[in-house]
Amino acid sequence: MYIERDYFMKKGDIFEGKVIRTEFPNKGIIDIEGQKVIVKNALEGQVVRFSINKKKRDKIEGRLLEVIEPSPIEQPAACKHFGICGGCRYQNLSYEQQLDLKKRQVEELIEKNGLSFAIENIYGSPITEGYRNKMEFTFGDEEKDGPLALGMHKKNSFYDIVTLDDCRIVDPDFNVLLQAILKYFKEKGETYFHKIRHEGFLRHLVMRRSVKTGDILINLVTTTQSRLDESEFVNMILSQKIDGKVVGILHTLNDNLADVVQSDETKTLYGQDYFYEYLYNMRFKISPFSFFQTNTLGAEVLYDQVREYVGETKDKLVYDLYTGTGTIAQMLAPVASKVVGVEIVEEAVEAAKKNAVDNHLDNCEFIAGDVLKVVDNLTQKPDILVLDPPRDGIHPKALRKIINFNVDEMVYVSCKPTSLMRDLLVFKEAGYEVKRCCLVDMFPGTVHVESIVLLSHKSPDSHIDVKVEFGEGEEKVPLDKIAERAKQYQPAPRVTYKMIQEYIEEKYGFKVHTAYIAEVKRNLGLPMYDAPNMVEELKQPRRHPTAEKVEAIKDALKHFGVI
């Protein structure tokens, strides 16, 4: 959408307004004298104060300063860290309101992208608290040079950390262990890894838990800039009173400068480096870095819908791209002819192979590699395709290769609706249509939601056979006539701003700005392209072209047949 510049609103200005709706994922929309302003973390119905912090040609953004009046749909949040912690944004809504909001947000994205299909339902998580089976906590401080903290990033902050002692989306055992580990390192006087100075020892604490068994895996991530008293650390953890059981304590060394959990070396300090989770009477080995849905009970709801959308798999070849530890692949394998899973994380592929053996499945093949490259070697056409890509969706080049399989149906599982919409537009161009769609809320209290889409290749209703003979003679179509007719219907080449500028400079000896060309076209009622970078921004307050330049631009438009 193009927004004309109005100088009453400039960067740094402070306004008040009522949020008319909340768009995915957490964008509050406010109307200020006809101008659409996006204010993150503002909830529909709230009256807020905000400052303008970004102003572009087609978008204005504000930073939330204060909620003046709460929304009528708000309720007190159960978590005492809500509003400070950046982890959850919708805990101040009832669960029914959360589901309604998420469903409506995806419906608005469907309409906004020019797509047309209905969402059958949004399925809630079986539990709304303590549902996460994995959590990555970060060491840092709550304020500059403050005491050691361990928890989540503060809302809208890259550096400050909120210590969590009562996080509501993890099992209570996680809170007990977090507090004990933080207390231990405070008493030791250990420092956290400073992102700017690249100094310090403590980086992350990763905990994973089996919902079905209560087994817990703890992974402490540090640099090599200090030394961990391993036996003392292990004994401290094992002495904690928790409901579950710690089956493994790991120490990962990571000297990489990026703020991500990765391993230069991982040592097992106690027990084992894995545990088992159970889904559909199948057992899955979970290792420190392997992917597994973070909401185990919610995953069962998700996979129920995937199985329903996939339908009958008896004696069929199934490709499960982005397979992770092979959960979906093994869920479909018992009656399929063969299931092939592709995953880029080698550790996850090894776990998938082991899981298949443990589950007595001999018709699963798992391949380690990037889907973009691996699909080139998958020469056999599958009967069914299942796609469960990362948050950013499918690589455009991989998407084209997937389309080239030309399967009748495929199921796409997405954890980010905006990425899904982008990919669905490409599928639509290739002749696919959305046959069914539903949502599954795997992340109560947060802005995220999973989507499941069944895509079907559109088939013609009927066929008409037409026989045409080319050449000379009676009832034949001359080839030269075809070429002449094709030339008549050949689309005119697109006239670019650069072509217009070059024509004017060569004929008149002066240059014209693209903004001037756009202004003349707009005044003539000519169509304007939607591309955001089509017209270069003026680097000074807007001025209008002189009469001489207007006439030169009109002459160029006539020369190229635009007018």
Side-chain angles (χ1 to χ4, degrees):
M1 181 179 72
Y2 180 82
I3 299 176
E4 291 288 343
R5 289 177 180 272
D6 282 325
Y7 286 93
F8 82 89
M9 185 181 293
K10 60 183 183 294
K11 201 170 177 180
D13 284 351
I14 295 176
F15 293 88
E16 293 180 5
K18 186 173 184 177
V19 184
I20 55 179
R21 68 180 181 278
T22 305
E23 295 181 351
F24 178 85
N26 60 328
K27 299 176 181 178
I29 307 301
I30 301 173
D31 185 284
I32 302 293
E33 296 188 26
Q35 297 265 33
K36 174 185 172 182
V37 183
I38 299 171
V39 179
K40 291 184 179 179
N41 303 319
L43 183 66
E44 58 192 43
Q46 289 179 339
V47 177
V48 300
R49 181 176 290 112
F50 62 94
S51 63
I52 303 298
N53 63 340
K54 288 183 183 179
K55 186 174 182 182
K56 300 180 181 178
R57 183 174 64 89
D58 58 347
K59 186 165 66 173
I60 302 174
E61 294 184 14
R63 181 171 63 88
L64 180 64
L65 299 176
E66 179 188 1
V67 176
I68 300 172
E69 294 179 20
S71 168
I73 63 175
E74 281 187 78
Q75 65 179 28
C79 180
K80 70 179 185 181
H81 306 292
F82 177 77
I84 303 172
C85 170
C88 302
R89 303 294 168 89
Y90 290 164
Q91 282 196 355
N92 57 340
L93 298 178
S94 70
Y95 194 48
E96 291 73 19
Q97 289 279 8
Q98 292 180 38
L99 295 178
D100 288 344
L101 178 58
K102 292 181 182 185
K103 182 172 181 285
R104 178 160 48 80
Q105 286 177 341
V106 180
E107 288 172 337
E108 289 171 353
L109 284 173
I110 293 169
E111 182 179 357
K112 183 179 179 180
N113 283 274
L115 297 166
S116 179
F117 58 90
I119 297 173
E120 296 174 345
N121 197 1
I122 179 168
Y123 298 92
S125 172
I127 56 174
T128 59
E129 292 192 356
Y131 61 84
R132 286 192 65 97
N133 57 37
K134 176 188 176 183
M135 203 70 167
E136 293 182 6
F137 298 108
T138 301
F139 287 95
D141 52 18
E142 295 200 23
E143 55 187 25
K144 188 175 180 180
D145 300 324
L148 185 67
L150 174 59
M152 302 292 289
H153 286 273
K154 276 187 180 180
K155 186 165 65 176
N156 302 325
S157 174
F158 180 69
Y159 297 104
D160 298 337
I161 302 298
V162 181
T163 292
L164 304 181
D165 55 17
D166 189 27
C167 178
R168 305 304 290 263
I169 64 174
V170 300
D171 187 87
D173 285 350
F174 281 23
N175 291 319
V176 173
L177 292 167
L178 180 147
Q179 287 299 307
I181 291 170
L182 176 61
K183 181 173 181 289
Y184 174 80
F185 284 117
K186 275 185 173 180
E187 292 174 351
K188 291 287 181 182
E190 284 291 2
T191 58
Y192 71 91
F193 180 70
H194 197 282
K195 296 182 181 71
I196 297 179
R197 296 195 298 265
H198 303 148
E199 297 174 352
F201 181 54
L202 302 167
R203 301 195 69 161
H204 298 94
L205 175 68
V206 184
M207 289 191 273
R208 306 189 75 154
R209 177 181 179 272
S210 167
V211 172
K212 301 299 178 69
T213 68
D215 290 348
I216 296 173
L217 202 63
I218 297 174
N219 186 11
L220 176 70
V221 184
T222 74
T223 67
T224 58
Q225 297 183 31
S226 185
R227 181 179 174 277
L228 177 69
D229 188 328
E230 296 176 354
S231 60
E232 186 178 76
F233 180 68
V234 167
N235 290 333
M236 179 274 298
I237 289 177
L238 296 180
S239 67
Q240 302 306 309
K241 294 181 179 180
I242 57 177
D243 293 330
K245 179 184 178 183
V246 176
V247 296
I249 301 174
L250 313 175
H251 182 200
T252 291
L253 302 176
N254 175 21
D255 284 324
N256 191 285
L257 298 183
D259 187 30
V260 293
V261 176
Q262 65 180 54
S263 173
D264 296 336
E265 178 188 357
T266 297
K267 300 186 290 183
T268 302
L269 307 183
Y270 168 81
Q272 59 204 39
D273 63 353
Y274 65 90
F275 61 79
Y276 290 104
E277 188 59 282
Y278 295 82
L279 289 173
Y280 298 109
N281 297 318
M282 290 189 287
R283 188 174 77 166
F284 295 92
K285 183 179 181 180
I286 310 298
S287 53
F289 299 99
S290 61
F291 172 79
F292 194 80
Q293 290 287 355
T294 54
N295 181 344
T296 305
L297 300 180
E300 292 180 335
V301 178
L302 179 76
Y303 295 147
D304 278 345
Q305 297 307 311
V306 171
R307 287 205 295 190
E308 180 182 332
Y309 278 25
V310 168
E312 179 60 59
T313 60
K314 184 173 174 58
D315 300 326
K316 291 184 178 180
L317 173 62
V318 182
Y319 284 174
D320 177 19
L321 307 183
Y322 312 95
T323 191
T325 52
T327 315
I328 293 177
Q330 293 173 66
M331 178 182 67
L332 301 175
V335 295
S337 170
K338 183 179 180 181
V339 180
V340 178
V342 180
E343 171 59 44
I344 196 169
V345 180
E346 292 187 12
E347 182 188 9
V349 171
E350 292 306 311
K353 291 177 179 177
K354 178 69 166 57
N355 291 336
V357 172
D358 290 347
N359 293 318
H360 310 292
L361 299 170
D362 58 5
N363 62 337
C364 291
E365 178 186 357
F366 294 101
I367 302 171
D370 189 341
V371 168
L372 174 61
K373 299 177 181 177
V374 172
V375 291
D376 292 332
N377 301 320
L378 299 176
T379 55
Q380 193 173 358
K381 179 182 175 180
D383 298 297
I384 301 170
L385 265 174
V386 178
L387 310 169
D388 189 4
R391 186 171 296 277
D392 289 335
I394 303 172
H395 189 286
K397 291 182 180 178
L399 193 56
R400 293 295 177 185
K401 293 179 179 181
I402 290 168
I403 289 170
N404 288 339
F405 280 122
N406 199 32
V407 296
D408 292 333
E409 291 187 336
M410 63 180 84
V411 175
Y412 191 138
V413 183
S414 169
C415 58
K416 187 177 181 182
T418 47
S419 300
L420 173 65
M421 298 304 149
R422 182 199 65 214
D423 291 347
L424 287 182
L425 289 173
V426 180
F427 280 119
K428 181 181 178 181
E429 289 178 2
Y432 284 90
E433 62 181 358
V434 176
K435 195 173 180 181
R436 299 182 67 184
C437 173
C438 70
L439 309 178
V440 179
D441 184 28
M442 300 278 286
F443 317 101
T446 76
V447 301
H448 306 292
V449 67
E450 293 268 345
S451 308
I452 309 171
V453 169
L454 173 61
L455 288 161
S456 177
H457 203 281
K458 290 184 283 189
S459 301
D461 298 327
S462 61
H463 297 271
I464 299 175
D465 293 324
V466 179
K467 184 178 181 181
V468 180
E469 291 188 39
F470 301 99
E472 301 298 329
E474 191 176 351
E475 296 184 354
K476 292 185 178 181
V477 180
L479 292 174
D480 58 342
K481 294 289 184 183
I482 296 174
E484 185 179 332
R485 192 171 181 83
K487 190 174 182 180
Q488 292 176 359
Y489 287 94
Q490 183 177 1
R494 184 172 176 179
V495 180
T496 65
Y497 282 53
K498 186 176 181 182
M499 291 165 60
I500 294 171
Q501 288 175 314
E502 289 175 349
Y503 172 84
I504 292 172
E505 186 172 4
E506 182 177 347
K507 183 173 180 178
Y508 292 93
F510 55 76
K511 296 180 179 181
V512 294
H513 200 283
T514 54
Y516 293 162
I517 300 173
E519 182 173 327
V520 172
K521 287 183 67 179
R522 193 178 297 112
N523 290 339
L524 291 171
L526 296 174
M528 306 296 296
Y529 297 114
D530 294 330
N533 298 318
M534 183 62 65
V535 181
E536 182 187 349
E537 290 289 338
L538 288 167
K539 296 179 175 61
Q540 56 190 8
R542 181 174 298 283
R543 292 185 299 183
H544 300 285
T546 62
E548 181 185 23
K549 290 187 177 181
V550 169
E551 291 306 313
I553 293 169
K554 287 181 178 179
D555 177 44
L557 294 173
K558 290 176 183 177
H559 172 78
F560 290 110
V562 178
I563 58 174

